[in-house]
């Protein structure tokens, strides 16, 4: 096997008979960084100039073909050759080029394959154009070649959804020509390329493919996608640009379409949404790298116990059952246990009713579920998650039982929202095994899992929390112990800012509308109605005695709760929900209550613009986010970002509150807080971290690199 072309070490060309095998070897995912692009271009050049080479085979080393452009390069000065140039060189090669795909062929990776003349996939292959998830569009011919190859309808669906398709589906769509058995893409690719050479197969350029031949059908698909996108992708920039690019594939010659694609791609690159979405991409991977996951290996995690079968206990049980774990639930008595089981079954019955699960599959899942009123049933489990009432004495009693029955090494987790986990840990003989696992409601759906780290916990217990998150397909964020951990602690502060604005003159409907316009699916008052106002009311009553008497306290929520208006479940809260409607209507009686409260508090209402509402809402969120980082409750600003993206509906295209703060500029955020502090210096206290960063001319991003 002789080396036939210059090697950049990331791209290794080697001769195998009359084939040039070009292996991309750029761990971890063979991203198309500048050296890979150079190596690929050089390898194609070498194939052209070597008369002995009859065909080229492109393969990826490691677990993937190519995962796409190197995302870290976006936003930096582009280095030649560009990926469209490399793809053009591949497509224009005078000798057949074959791509043999295993693992990921995503984004630019699939675009390289589309530029090749023949494509083969092994069963592990997943193909896709997921650029939309990064605020981009396929920028190396994907919007021009994919529609020509598989038709406008399928290409639009692929690009707008960003989904990954498996090898079989790729074959049926026409994205690949051939499906090979087994896992060895190199061997399958060699066999295929040799066959093509023997058959004197011609080069076959995707740019000339006839997938758009039915102009009427293509146009109809485009218009349908345009209407659908206008409806669905509220506030997102790149989906409409994708439509424009694909429209060029329908209406312009290939080279002109490529130019249009490039212009639109560059617009996406320059958009703040691209920066926000790429921040989110890396942040959700960075959160996995907590000190404990580096320092320790997780404990075994095959079987689980749940204490409490209410809203959370049942949801957590479903999440674990869905991950294939056997689950044993403990409840106070047989009646509550039956209710707990019913809560679990209800979820699966819903799926069966919708046709998303067969009754047999439900039976198979429920066979892994067991319940008891006796703690001894937990003697053998690897992990227990406690989800009983939010009362420290009740929780301590539960932990005493767990201490008595659980095997040594069993992880003892609490799902408490606010209580002091150090106190719970200190109350038993094995504090090193106690950790907080704060799930979000509905626990089988919400992706966020705060892993709350008390003072005495062992590193391997924390690592087990991260491992559980992986098993349950959740996004873990490490948090320190404090009232509300990361998410609920910050929420409490910006909810107060919203209440202040409500008393000062903005209606809850104005505030919700501003928050939705910012990109949230719902505003804070809608969320309160969905979650049930009684929960917050109970917390406020509990904390009333310890509340700072100097702090402003808006009583509107209490007035509403006193009437028994707890939101959707009582058909009215801040909104009216006639006959169980899910979308609320503004309620004049609520506005009257607010007016009365303004009078009681001696407030003369004033107008708030959407911009001012969001400035105050975000300043409160960012300031408390900075406090949380300053006090090491969150390791880095990015941990706050991921918490809000996955637990609180923060618009992903803004990257998270701390990323958003950097986008706005920290001096501006601090100036806002200082201005608001003139009216209410007790509530608006600039975070010491924010002040320090502004003084140093630094931003939150600079702290993301420091761990
Ligand atoms: N560029 C740079 N780094 C990348 C990358 C990329 N395209 N894709 C993954 N990585 C990095 C990750 O950040 C991670 O780094 P870390 O170990 O330092 O945290 C490492 O590679 C491994 O990634 P994962 O942890 O995600 O590994 P998995 O095995 O779970 O998943 C994957 C592999 C499915 C390939 C997943 O990484 C992925 O979806 N990657 C992004 C794919 C993508 O969006 N491609 C399109 C890029 S944009 C483009 O191509 C534009 C073009 O049209 C011009
Ligand atoms: P819930 O009231 O719906 O359920 C609590 C369950 O615990 C009840 O079924 C009750 O019978 C059972 N229980 C009480 N004492 C028990 C004992 N000694 N032994 C066994 N079972 C016992 O409460 P919910 O909402 O599920 O909350 C549970 C915990 O999860 C609380 O700590 C809460 O703060 C926390 N949490 C709640 C969230 C929510 O949105 N509801 C979100 C995140 C955490």
């Amino acid at each position: 096997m002789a080396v036939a072309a210059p090697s950049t070490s990331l791209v290794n060309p080697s001769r195998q008979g009359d084939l040039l095998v070009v292996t991309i070897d750029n761990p971890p995912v063979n991203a198309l960084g500048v050296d890979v692009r150079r190596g690929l271009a050089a390898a194609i050049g070498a194939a052209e100039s070597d008369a002995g080479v009859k065909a080229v085979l492109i393969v990826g080393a490691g677990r993937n073909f190519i995962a796409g452009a190197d995302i870290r390069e976006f936003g930096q000065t582009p280095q030649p050759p560009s990926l469209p140039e490399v793809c053009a060189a591949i497509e224009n090669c005078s000798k057949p080029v074959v791509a043999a795909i295993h693992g990921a062929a995503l984004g630019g990776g699939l675009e390289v394959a589309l530029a090749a003349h023949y494509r083969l996939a092994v069963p592990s292959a997943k193909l896709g154009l997921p650029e939309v998830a990064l605020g981009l569009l396929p920028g190396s011919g994907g919007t021009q070649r994919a529609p020509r190859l598989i038709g406008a309808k399928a290409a639009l669906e692929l690009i707008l959804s960003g989904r990954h398709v498996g090898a079989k589906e790729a074959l049926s769509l026409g994205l690949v020509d051939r499906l090979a058995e087994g896992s060895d893409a190199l061997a399958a690719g060699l066999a295929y390329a040799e066959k093509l050479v023997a058959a004197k197969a011609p080069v076959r350029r995707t740019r000339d493919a006839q997938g758009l031949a039915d102009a009427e059908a293509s146009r109809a698909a485009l218009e349908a996608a345009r209407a659908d996108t206008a409806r669905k992708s509220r506030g997102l920039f790149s989906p409409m640009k994708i439509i424009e690019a694909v429209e060029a594939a329908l209406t312009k010659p290939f080279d002109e379409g490529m130019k249009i694609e490039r212009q639109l791609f560059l617009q996406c690159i320059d958009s703040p949404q691209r920066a926000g979405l790429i921040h989110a991409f890396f942040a959700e991977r960075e959160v996995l790298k907590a000190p404990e996951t580096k320092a320790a290996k997780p404990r075994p995690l095959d079987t689980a116990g749940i204490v409490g079968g209410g809203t959370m206990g049942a949801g957590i049980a479903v999440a674990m059952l869905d991950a294939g774990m056997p689950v044993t639930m403990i409840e106070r008595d047989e009646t509550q246990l039956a209710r707990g089981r019913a809560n679990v079954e209800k979820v699966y019955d819903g799926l069966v009713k919708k046709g998303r699960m067969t009754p047999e599959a439900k039976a198979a899942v429920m066979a892994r579920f067991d319940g008891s009123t006796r703690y001894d049933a937990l003697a053998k489990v690897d992990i227990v998650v406690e989800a009983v009432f939010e009362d420290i004495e009740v929780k301590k009693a539960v932990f005493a039982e767990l201490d008595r029955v659980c095997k040594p090494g069993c992880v003892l987790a609490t799902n408490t929202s606010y209580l002091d986990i150090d106190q719970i840990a200190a109350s038993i003989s094995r504090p090193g095994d106690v950790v907080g696992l704060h799930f979000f409601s509905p626990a089988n759906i919400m992706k966020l899992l705060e892993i709350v780290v008390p003072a005495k916990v062992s590193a391997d217990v924390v690592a087990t929390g991260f491992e559980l998150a992986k098993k349950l397909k959740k996004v873990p964020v490490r948090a320190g112990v404090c009232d509300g951990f990361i998410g609920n602690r910050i929420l409490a502060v910006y909810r107060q800012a919203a209440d202040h604005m409500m008393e000062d003159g903005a209606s809850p409907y104005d505030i919700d509308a501003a928050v939705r316009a910012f990109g949230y699916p719902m505003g804070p008052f809608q969320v309160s109605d969905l979650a049930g106002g009684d929960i917050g009311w109970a917390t406020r009553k509990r904390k009333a005695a310890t509340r700072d008497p100097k702090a402003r306290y808006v009583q509107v929520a209490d007035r509403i709760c006193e009437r028994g208006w707890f939101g959707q479940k009582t058909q009215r809260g801040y909104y009216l929900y006639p006959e169980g409607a899910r979308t609320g209507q503004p309620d004049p009686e609520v506005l009257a209550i607010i007016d009365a409260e303004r009078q009681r508090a001696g407030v003369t209402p004033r107008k708030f613009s959407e911009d001012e509402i969001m400035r105050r809402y975000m300043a409160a969120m960012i300031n408390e986010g900075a406090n949380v980082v300053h006090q090491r409750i969150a390791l880095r600003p990015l941990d706050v970002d991921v918490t809000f993206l996955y637990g609180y509906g923060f618009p992903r295209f803004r990257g998270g509150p701390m990323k958003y703060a950097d986008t706005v500029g920290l001096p501006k955020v601090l100036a806002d807080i200082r201005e608001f502090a003139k009216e209410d210096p007790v509530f608006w206290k600039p975070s010491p971290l924010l002040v320090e960063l502004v003084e140093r001319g630094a931003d939150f991003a600079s702290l993301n690199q420091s761990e």
Side-chain angles (χ1 to χ4, degrees):
M1 202 192 293
V3 173
S7 164
T8 59
S9 82
L10 302 184
V11 179
N12 301 308
S14 71
R15 275 291 287 277
Q16 298 247 4
D18 46 14
L19 300 179
L20 183 71
V21 179
V22 180
T23 306
I24 297 163
D25 188 4
N26 182 22
V29 294
N30 297 333
L32 292 156
V34 59
D35 288 333
V36 174
R37 299 199 298 276
R38 281 187 188 139
L40 262 175
I44 296 296
E48 285 287 17
S49 57
D50 185 342
V53 172
K54 297 280 182 276
V56 180
L57 173 65
I58 304 178
V59 292
R63 284 173 40 217
N64 299 294
F65 177 67
I66 304 169
D70 187 336
I71 300 172
R72 291 174 205 274
E73 285 183 1
F74 295 140
Q76 299 176 8
T77 316
Q79 303 287 328
S82 71
L83 193 54
E85 286 164 350
V86 175
C87 288
I90 294 170
E91 187 165 64
N92 293 335
C93 185
S94 62
K95 300 167 186 184
V97 182
V98 180
I101 299 168
H102 76 296
L106 299 174
L110 180 55
E111 289 174 302
V112 165
L114 292 176
H117 305 131
Y118 297 92
R119 285 160 292 280
L120 165 147
V122 297
S124 71
K126 46 183 179 183
L127 296 82
L129 294 166
E131 286 87 344
V132 68
L134 303 174
L136 295 171
L137 50 82
S140 301
T143 66
Q144 305 303 300
R145 289 193 181 93
R148 283 175 166 84
L149 189 64
I150 63 172
K153 186 164 186 250
L156 280 161
E157 194 277 328
L158 195 69
I159 303 172
L160 286 166
S161 71
R163 76 188 173 96
H164 302 172
V165 303
K168 256 199 194 141
E169 188 182 354
L171 181 71
S172 69
L173 284 173
L175 269 179
V176 297
D177 304 296
R178 187 174 274 237
L179 191 57
E181 299 284 308
S183 58
D184 192 342
L186 174 62
L190 282 171
Y192 186 33
E194 276 161 11
K195 225 170 159 176
L196 289 167
V197 169
K200 296 201 166 36
V203 297
R204 196 189 51 165
R205 301 195 167 102
T206 307
R207 57 180 288 158
D208 302 326
Q210 292 303 305
L212 298 174
D214 184 343
E216 206 175 308
S218 304
R219 172 55 67 180
L222 186 81
E223 291 317 326
R226 195 194 305 275
D228 196 45
T229 303
R231 212 176 45 245
K232 278 200 214 137
S233 59
R234 261 188 345 115
L236 283 180
F237 182 73
S238 81
M240 271 303 175
K241 300 289 157 188
I242 288 170
I243 303 278
E244 274 185 61
V246 173
E247 182 166 33
L250 267 57
T251 55
K252 310 276 186 216
F254 180 79
D255 291 329
E256 225 173 292
M258 286 298 292
K259 281 190 199 137
I260 293 172
E261 179 194 84
R262 179 96 312 225
Q263 283 163 8
L264 295 167
F265 180 74
L266 293 177
Q267 287 177 23
C268 293
I269 284 277
D270 286 341
S271 80
Q273 294 193 358
R274 185 274 304 162
L277 288 163
I278 287 183
H279 171 77
F281 176 88
F282 286 119
E284 68 198 21
R285 286 165 174 75
E286 282 305 307
V287 290
L288 306 175
K289 298 169 192 164
E292 294 85 356
T293 58
K294 292 181 198 154
K297 292 234 166 323
R299 294 183 184 176
L301 201 49
D302 296 322
T303 53
I306 303 276
V307 188
T311 310
M312 293 308 288
I316 298 166
V318 170
M320 289 174 159
L321 290 168
D322 285 349
M325 296 172 84
V327 175
T328 304
M329 177 182 280
I330 303 292
E331 260 288 357
R332 306 181 267 175
D333 53 43
E334 291 297 340
T335 314
Q336 291 304 323
L337 183 58
R339 213 182 112 244
R341 170 184 271 274
N343 286 341
V344 171
E345 256 186 288
K346 204 161 59 191
V347 175
Y348 294 113
D349 286 338
L351 294 177
V352 171
K353 209 167 147 199
K354 284 186 204 138
R356 298 207 335 241
M357 189 179 214
T358 62
E360 294 73 32
K362 178 198 154 190
V365 171
M366 288 308 292
R368 278 189 277 110
F369 179 84
D370 197 9
S372 178
T373 54
R374 293 167 46 90
Y375 280 85
D376 303 77
L378 301 180
K380 290 193 180 138
V381 298
D382 296 324
I383 184 168
V384 179
V385 181
E386 164 280 308
V388 302
F389 301 139
E390 184 76 344
D391 179 314
I392 192 101
E393 294 312 323
V394 177
K395 291 202 192 276
K396 278 186 186 167
V398 168
F399 271 76
E401 288 297 297
L402 298 178
D403 197 11
R404 182 177 66 78
V405 301
C406 291
K407 68 181 181 188
C410 175
V411 171
L412 306 177
T414 172
N415 182 49
T416 179
S417 307
Y418 295 97
L419 299 175
D420 182 351
I421 304 177
D422 283 320
Q423 259 195 57
I424 298 174
S427 72
I428 63 166
S429 72
R430 31 175 145 171
D433 294 338
V434 177
V435 70
L437 291 179
H438 185 219
F439 289 79
F440 287 69
S441 180
N444 55 316
I445 301 206
M446 291 294 285
K447 288 276 176 215
L448 181 64
L449 179 60
E450 278 181 310
I451 301 199
V452 192
V453 179
K456 297 224 169 98
V457 67
S458 312
D460 62 348
V461 169
V462 178
T464 311
F466 279 84
E467 187 64 19
L468 180 71
K470 189 168 162 195
K471 214 167 165 151
L472 306 188
K473 298 197 173 69
K474 305 235 175 263
V475 179
V477 173
R478 185 191 188 280
V481 175
C482 70
D483 193 359
F485 317 128
I486 299 178
N488 282 348
R489 171 171 160 176
I490 298 173
L491 166 72
V493 176
Y494 68 80
R495 266 308 263 109
Q496 281 180 54
D499 284 347
H500 295 174
M501 287 189 274
M502 173 167 68
E503 196 172 61
D504 286 340
S507 79
Y509 317 121
D510 295 336
I511 296 169
D512 280 350
V515 169
R516 281 196 309 271
F518 183 80
Y520 273 90
M522 280 187 199
F525 297 98
Q526 290 173 290
V527 171
S528 171
D529 275 2
L530 181 66
D534 46 332
I535 298 176
W537 192 30
T539 311
R540 289 195 298 280
K541 283 194 268 194
R542 202 174 59 233
K543 291 186 177 168
T546 52
R547 204 164 30 235
D548 177 357
K550 290 199 290 296
R552 180 172 178 186
Y553 181 72
V554 176
Q555 299 183 21
V556 173
D558 295 345
R559 295 295 91 78
I560 290 178
C561 288
E562 282 156 12
R563 287 167 169 77
W565 301 350
F566 296 145
Q568 291 195 17
K569 61 184 169 189
T570 56
Q571 304 201 353
R572 72 193 294 182
Y574 289 97
Y575 293 80
L576 285 167
Y577 303 88
E579 284 146 38
R582 303 276 303 269
T583 323
Q585 296 164 5
D587 183 349
E589 284 187 54
V590 166
L591 294 177
I593 292 170
I594 297 169
D595 263 340
E597 280 302 306
R598 285 173 187 150
Q599 280 178 25
R600 189 194 54 74
V603 172
T604 313
R606 69 177 179 87
K607 279 224 164 312
F608 282 80
S609 68
E610 205 166 276
D611 177 63
E612 183 176 3
I613 290 172
M614 286 322 294
R615 266 171 54 206
R616 286 174 178 266
Y617 198 73
M618 288 311 303
M621 196 184 301
I622 294 161
N623 199 47
E624 193 60 8
N627 283 332
V628 155
V629 175
H630 190 56
Q631 293 165 14
R632 306 282 294 165
I633 299 299
L635 286 177
R636 300 147 298 192
L638 68 82
D639 295 87
V640 176
D641 285 338
V642 174
T643 301
F644 279 84
L645 293 177
Y646 283 97
Y648 296 83
F650 193 91
R652 186 176 170 90
F653 66 81
R654 297 190 190 274
M658 311 313 266
K659 171 70 184 171
Y660 174 75
D662 279 352
T663 312
V664 172
L666 300 192
K668 194 163 179 303
V669 176
L670 181 59
D672 273 353
I673 292 170
R674 286 187 167 141
E675 187 196 318
F676 305 150
K678 287 179 192 155
E679 298 158 15
D680 185 350
V682 178
F683 182 76
W684 292 103
K685 289 195 195 84
S687 164
L689 178 63
L690 186 59
V691 173
E692 182 209 315
L693 288 172
V694 171
E695 279 169 3
R696 286 201 282 124
D699 58 9
F700 287 126
S702 66
L703 304 179
N704 287 334
Q705 280 124 36
S706 64
E707 280 298 317

